[in-house]
Amino acid sequence: MSSETKLGRRRVSLGWLPHVVGVGALFVVLAPALSLVATLLQRVRLDSAVLRALGEAVVGSLILVSLGLSLAVPLGIAAGVHVATHPRTRLAKLASVAIDILSGVPSIVVGVVAYALVVLPTGRFSVPAGAVALALVAFPEVARSTTDLVASVPTPVVDTALSLGVSSWRVTTFLLLRARGAALVASLAAVACRSLGEVAPLLFTTASGAAFDGSLGAPMSSLAVEAFLSVHTPDGGARAATLSLFLVAATMTIALLVRRRAPRSA
Amino acid sequence: MSRRAPKLEVKELCASYGGRIILKDVSFHVDRGEIVAVIGPTGSGKSTLLRAVNRMHELSAGATVSGRVLLDGADVYSPDTDPTELRRRVGIVLERPIALPGLSIQRDVLAGYALTRTLPRAPEEVAETVLRRVGLWEEVKDRLSTPSVGLDDGQIQRLAIARALALRPSVLLLDEPSQSLDPSGTAHVEELLNELRSQTTVMLVTANLQQAARVADSVVFLEQGHVVEHARAAKIFTNPEDPRTEDFITGRFRTTA
């Protein structure tokens, strides 16, 4: 605890108070949850079948989220940059409206759309169908974050770069990668974490429960969907808790990686 | 004044921003290697004039430009002119220069190259040369890899000049280059301008009339977007033709708002 004397009166800094309150609140919220999870975990039979299902769910989540983001991130960044840098064009106005509408659509509706777009024509649940559903959920978030980040760069920074004979496209790339790189990585990580927890879009596109046959054209399990489906099994609560723990571990890993690896904003 | 092969000719240049006319039929010329100071009251269009010369003005939403700006006889506003290439030949140091976020001091000085991925043959030497020219080398030579945003205002001002010089522009536009500098920094900039004389054509916007008198070969006096007078610096500061010029340089200027 730090303190300082000013004008003869002793002034005590209360900078530590928010930390104590924060840790206390975290404990109050987490303690019962952890207790419940510990109780449920004691009931889990970690036999080979459970471990195999867990492994498939982890791999499935990674594949689905990776494919979904590989579609959503480039498209979202391109749309976000265009909306921020050319706001008066017809395309930008159209994109802006589309982003607003998509971001307000419930994810279960997105699942139905992906079902109509991919599952009905192909006649089966599949990984690409799930990836499209996740991409539709992630796209507006990536685009909106990008628009906000580009628009938040101070005009003098843009002017300075342009005054050096740098093209507008390179200026935007530079600004995104340098001036707002850390913030962009953080927002993409948040989108990845939310995608990991999506259930509704995947129920209509790639929901599993069956064993993974190694083909991307087949249904594939994922952590969130398996947690949802396992509730209805005999030891469902315990399995759901285990899968949820893996989800928490995955999102915490992403958050920690972003903190350690993200370039520092100046 | 000599009319032979001017480096820069501004002819009937008009500029507006958001419907407000800022420059009206501005015409003057700058000889090769000359330093021309642009003086005038606040809001007279000095900065807009600089930004119109290297086509920075048109980047602002709602900005319009008409008239001609001839660089070595070629109109910079012709469809054949690539504005990004023009801005490398006609460098500008903006009124409130900044350090570029995310770049080290050395990379910031070389930003004109780094951002276009065209580094010069010996980048460290180029950076050292221009940093020495602006009197910043001794202050930063031991921390070239640290972020440039850590520099103070005066250092950033000189860094911005170094950044523009690194591209070896044939015309350099300086908008209040001594604004954040102490007398020593100002002296460095004026030494640099004297050094640049005859190699580089310089347009200098300054509110410091003493500085204009010390370094400029000729002076353009702008008022409400019009050129009131353009003459040799000695004449402007000793025997101006227009009474408005005399009022301004003797401090009797009053806005007509």
Side-chain angles (χ1 to χ4, degrees), chain A residues 26-245:
Chain A
L26 200 63
F27 182 78
V28 168
V29 172
L30 281 185
L34 286 175
S35 167
L36 176 65
V37 168
T39 309
L40 290 170
L41 282 178
Q42 284 171 354
R43 288 164 42 197
V44 176
R45 289 175 290 106
L46 281 177
D47 54 27
S48 60
V50 172
L51 287 175
R52 182 186 164 83
L54 264 177
E56 283 178 358
V58 169
V59 172
S61 283
L62 288 177
I63 290 174
L64 283 166
V65 171
S66 303
L67 287 176
L69 290 187
S70 67
L71 288 172
V73 169
L75 288 174
I77 289 180
V81 166
H82 187 74
V83 169
T85 53
H86 302 88
R88 295 179 181 200
T89 63
R90 189 173 292 176
L91 182 61
K93 286 174 183 167
L94 195 68
S96 188
V97 171
I99 290 163
D100 285 346
I101 292 172
L102 265 178
S103 61
V105 172
S107 57
I108 196 158
V109 177
V110 172
V112 174
V113 171
Y115 178 84
L117 286 176
V118 187
V119 176
L120 281 182
T122 57
R124 64 190 303 192
F125 282 10
S126 64
V127 173
V132 167
L134 286 183
L136 285 172
V137 172
F139 168 77
E141 293 184 46
V142 175
R144 187 170 274 180
S145 304
T146 306
T147 302
D148 292 346
L149 289 173
V150 173
S152 70
V153 175
T155 307
V157 177
V158 179
D159 275 0
T160 300
L162 290 171
S163 75
L164 296 167
V166 183
S167 66
S168 301
W169 174 245
R170 270 205 193 283
V171 169
T172 306
T173 314
F174 157 74
L175 294 176
L176 269 182
L177 294 181
R178 295 279 184 176
R180 290 290 181 267
L184 180 65
V185 170
S187 65
L188 292 182
V191 172
C193 290
R194 278 197 289 276
S195 300
L196 272 174
E198 285 291 350
V199 175
L202 298 181
L203 284 176
F204 286 92
T205 49
T206 187
S208 179
F212 177 50
D213 70 355
S215 161
L216 291 182
M220 179 176 276
S221 66
S222 59
L223 282 167
V225 171
E226 289 306 310
F228 174 76
L229 295 177
S230 65
V231 170
H232 304 293
T233 61
D235 61 346
R239 277 185 74 170
T242 313
L243 289 157
S244 301
L245 268 187

Side-chain angles (χ1 to χ4, degrees), chain A residues 88 156-157 159-167 170 174 178-179 264 266, chain B residues 51 56 59 84 87-88 92 94 98 101-102 107 111-112 115 117 163 167:
Chain A
R88 295 179 181 200
V157 177
D159 275 0
T160 300
L162 290 171
S163 75
L164 296 167
V166 183
S167 66
R170 270 205 193 283
F174 157 74
R178 295 279 184 176
R264 296 279 173 232
Chain B
R51 292 172 69 95
M56 285 290 290
L59 295 170
T84 56
R87 290 178 200 125
R88 295 172 79 80
I92 188 168
L94 300 169
I98 53 150
R107 281 186 69 81
L115 297 182
R117 303 189 180 184
R163 190 195 288 142
L167 291 171

